[in-house]
Amino acid sequence: MAALSRICPGLGSCTLRGQRAAAAAAAACSLLPKPQHAHTGNTCKLRWPRATSTLQARAVSLCARRLKREDGQQTGFTDEEEEEEDGDFIEDSEVEELFQQQGPEGTTGGQHRVFIVQPDVKWGSRKQHLTTAELMMAEAVGLVNTLDSWRVVDKIILSTKTPEKKRIFGKGNFQSLTEKIRQTAGITAVFVNVERLSPLSEREFEEAWGVKVFDRYSVVLHIFRCNARTKEAKLQISLAEIPLLRSRLKNEMGNMDQQGGGSRYIGGSGETLFEVQQRLLKERELKIRSALEKLRRKRHLLRSQRKRNEFPIVSVLGYTNCGKTTLIKALTGDSALQPRNQLFATLDVTVHAGQLPSRMTVLYVDTIGFLSQLPHQLIDSFSATLDDIKHSDLLIHVRDISHPEAVNQKVNVLNVLKNLKVPDRLTSSMIEVHNKTDLVNNYQCAEPEALPVSALQERGLDELKEVVEEEIVNSTGKRILDLKVNLSTSQLSWLYKEAVVQDVQVNADDGSAVVKVLISTAAYGRYKKLFPGR
C-alpha cells in the first residue's frame, strides 16, 4: 500500500483484495499528477489544482473510487469533477497541464549521458541504399546534441541481418553490446537509432542494460517538446505522445502480469486495470483531437481570409535545418525572424509577407522540417499544421546542398509530400532551391531546374523572386496589367475592390492614371464589359 499512498495520500486505510492488486492499481494511476488532499473524519476528499484538467481528475477519482474499505463501505469521494461539463475546447491551462504532466517517462526534466547504437542492416528490405550507417550515426549524434541537457558519451555501429527481431541483433552481437554498455561508466540512457521499438523490445533492452532506452520517435518527440511554444504545437505533441504512453502502459502491465497481479479486475467493475487506463488514454486523445479540430477550422478561416485578400501563398518546406527560415528572412527582410542552427527549430507555421519584382505581395509560409524514418503517427499529429502545404499556390523545396545526404534528404521530403497527398499541380510546379552554396567549394549545379542560392549571404534571391512570380501568375490564373483609367469614373475604385492594385501613376493634366494591377482572367473580363474601350 506504500506505493498507492504516495499516489493518493490519505488512502492508508483503504485496501484492495491483496497486495498485488494494490500494486496494480498504483501502476494504473502512475501516469497521473498528485492531487492536494484533505481529511474529514473517515472521508478522503481530493482537491485538484485549478489548472488541472477534468480528465486527469477523473482518472485518479476512478482509481480511488473503486477502492473498498476493509469494512466493505465505499470511500467518500466527491463527484464534483464528474459533474463538470467537458466542453469542446481545451483551455490554455488545460493544454499546459496536459503538456507538462504527461510527457513520456525518462524524457522530461533532468540530464542524460547517452550511448548511441546504430544498426547497420547488411541486406534485405530494411537496408538503406541512399545513405550509410556512418551518416545515420552522424544524424543521431546531431539529434542528441540538439538537447541542451543531453550529451553523447559513446557510440557504436553494429551489423545485423534481422532488424525485425525482438533484440534487433544476433545473440553474439547483442551479448557484446550489452557488455560494452555495462562497462561504460556514467551511462544513463541508450538511444537505439531505429524508427520505433516495440514495447517488448524496449522492456527487454532496459532489463538487459539497466538504463532507460529511447528510439528515434521518442528522441525527436522530446526535441519537439523542448521547442514547443504555441498552444497548437503543445497539443500536437501531446497527441503524438499517446503511442509512447500506451507502450509504457503495456510495459508496466507486462511486468505485473509476470508477477501475477496485472490482470485483476477493479472492485467488480468488469474492467481490468489495463482496460481502464486504455480508456482514459482514449478519452484524452479524443479531447486533444477535438481541440485540434477547432484550431484547424480557425486556420481554415484565416486561410480563406488570405484568399479573399488575393494574397498568393508560397509554402517553404524541406528537410530539417536546411535553411528555410533564413531564406524567408532574406526574401522578406523580416528582422523579427531569428533562424537557429539546430534541428526542428520551427514547429509552428508562421506567415511572412514579401514583395516580388512586380510589387506583388505574397505570403511565405514557414513549415516544420521533415526527417527520415519517422512513424506516420508523428506526421499525422502535425497534419493540421502541414495542411497549409496542400492549400498553397506554390511550393518551394529548400535543400541543404552542402549536406552529404542531400540526395537522400530530397527523397525523404518527396515521400512525405506523397504521404500527405499533396496535389499534383503543386508538386509538378514546385521550385527546387539549392541552399548553402557558399559552403560548397566550386559549386556546380547538376540539376538544371534547380536555383542555386545562399540565403545567409543573400545570393541568387533576385532570380528566385522572378521564378516565384512567374509560377504564381501561372498557378493562380492572374495577370499583371497596366491599365489606363479615367479618374472621374469609378474605374479605380472598382479595381481596388476586385483586383490587387500594386501601383498608381497619376497624370494630373488629363485626369487619368496608369494603374498596375494583379487581376484574374474572370475579373478582367468583367472590367472590359463595365468599361468598354479601356
Side-chain angles (χ1 to χ4, degrees), residues 331-349:
L331 289 171
T332 63
D334 189 345
S335 59
L337 279 170
Q338 297 298 326
R340 289 178 288 165
N341 183 25
Q342 69 177 61
L343 304 177
F344 302 113
T346 300
L347 287 186
D348 302 293
V349 168

Side-chain angles (χ1 to χ4, degrees), residues 374-390:
L374 284 184
H376 289 297
Q377 296 106 313
L378 194 55
I379 298 297
D380 290 344
S381 299
F382 283 81
S383 60
T385 297
L386 295 171
D387 222 29
D388 276 297
I389 293 174
K390 294 188 286 186

Side-chain angles (χ1 to χ4, degrees), residues 109 243 271 382 518:
E271 287 184 293
F382 283 81
L518 176 67

Side-chain angles (χ1 to χ4, degrees), residues 257-513:
D257 281 339
Q258 293 174 2
Q259 300 165 9
S263 60
R264 296 293 184 92
Y265 291 91
I266 303 180
S269 69
E271 287 184 293
T272 64
L273 291 166
F274 179 74
E275 289 169 343
V276 169
Q277 193 69 325
Q278 285 281 56
R279 178 163 54 78
L280 292 171
L281 281 174
K282 184 64 177 177
E283 288 177 9
R284 177 171 174 262
E285 179 182 357
L286 291 174
K287 191 169 187 179
I288 294 171
R289 287 189 185 278
S290 174
L292 282 172
E293 181 57 31
K294 279 208 167 186
L295 289 174
R296 185 194 294 268
R297 290 197 293 270
K298 180 180 178 182
R299 186 184 296 280
H300 177 73
L301 180 62
L302 292 173
R303 194 184 298 126
S304 300
Q305 290 172 344
R306 293 174 199 155
K307 291 289 186 183
R308 283 199 300 272
N309 290 328
E310 300 282 346
F311 292 136
I313 299 171
V314 180
S315 284
V316 182
L317 54 91
Y319 206 83
T320 183
N321 207 30
C322 66
K324 299 182 298 297
T325 305
T326 305
L327 179 62
I328 292 175
K329 182 176 183 179
L331 289 171
T332 63
D334 189 345
S335 59
L337 279 170
Q338 297 298 326
R340 289 178 288 165
N341 183 25
Q342 69 177 61
L343 304 177
F344 302 113
T346 300
L347 287 186
D348 302 293
V349 168
T350 56
V351 180
H352 310 270
Q355 282 199 331
L356 297 178
S358 66
R359 300 180 68 180
M360 181 196 310
T361 298
V362 296
L363 300 180
Y364 293 101
V365 179
D366 196 0
T367 63
I368 183 174
F370 299 166
L371 187 71
S372 64
Q373 296 183 50
L374 284 184
H376 289 297
Q377 296 106 313
L378 194 55
I379 298 297
D380 290 344
S381 299
F382 283 81
S383 60
T385 297
L386 295 171
D387 222 29
D388 276 297
I389 293 174
K390 294 188 286 186
H391 293 88
S392 306
D393 295 300
L394 180 67
L395 304 181
I396 295 179
H397 176 197
V398 184
R399 295 177 60 193
D400 176 1
I401 207 63
S402 70
H403 199 283
E405 285 193 283
V407 174
N408 187 38
Q409 290 181 354
K410 176 180 178 178
V411 171
N412 279 294
V413 169
L414 295 180
N415 284 337
V416 172
L417 294 178
K418 183 179 179 180
N419 291 335
L420 289 173
K421 298 180 180 178
V422 174
D424 291 339
R425 66 172 181 84
L426 286 173
T427 53
S428 61
S429 64
M430 184 166 61
I431 299 173
E432 184 173 307
V433 171
H434 286 187
N435 192 26
K436 304 188 183 182
T437 55
D438 54 298
L439 300 180
V440 181
N441 292 327
N442 302 316
Y443 170 77
Q444 296 293 326
C445 185
E447 301 172 55
E449 297 298 319
L451 298 177
V453 305
S454 169
L456 191 62
Q457 297 183 356
E458 299 190 2
R459 295 203 310 251
L461 300 184
D462 290 340
E463 184 181 358
L464 174 57
K465 288 179 181 180
E466 289 175 1
V467 175
V468 168
E469 183 170 275
E470 181 182 342
E471 291 294 342
I472 283 292
V473 170
N474 291 336
S475 66
T476 59
K478 291 180 171 60
R479 305 166 65 181
I480 298 174
L481 299 174
D482 289 327
L483 302 176
K484 187 173 182 179
V485 303
N486 187 336
L487 294 178
S488 64
T489 70
S490 60
Q491 286 175 269
L492 185 57
S493 61
W494 189 94
L495 288 172
Y496 268 108
K497 182 179 179 181
E498 300 293 334
V500 178
V501 176
Q502 298 179 329
D503 188 38
V504 179
Q505 298 291 331
V506 177
N507 187 340
D509 293 337
D510 62 1
S512 68

Side-chain angles (χ1 to χ4, degrees), residues 233-267:
K234 290 178 180 181
L235 282 170
Q236 289 172 135
I237 290 164
S238 296
L239 180 62
E241 285 170 348
I242 293 286
L244 293 183
L245 294 173
R246 286 200 175 106
S247 294
R248 175 183 167 190
L249 180 61
K250 288 179 182 178
N251 278 340
E252 291 179 348
M253 290 303 172
N255 286 332
M256 281 185 286
D257 281 339
Q258 293 174 2
Q259 300 165 9
S263 60
R264 296 293 184 92
Y265 291 91
I266 303 180

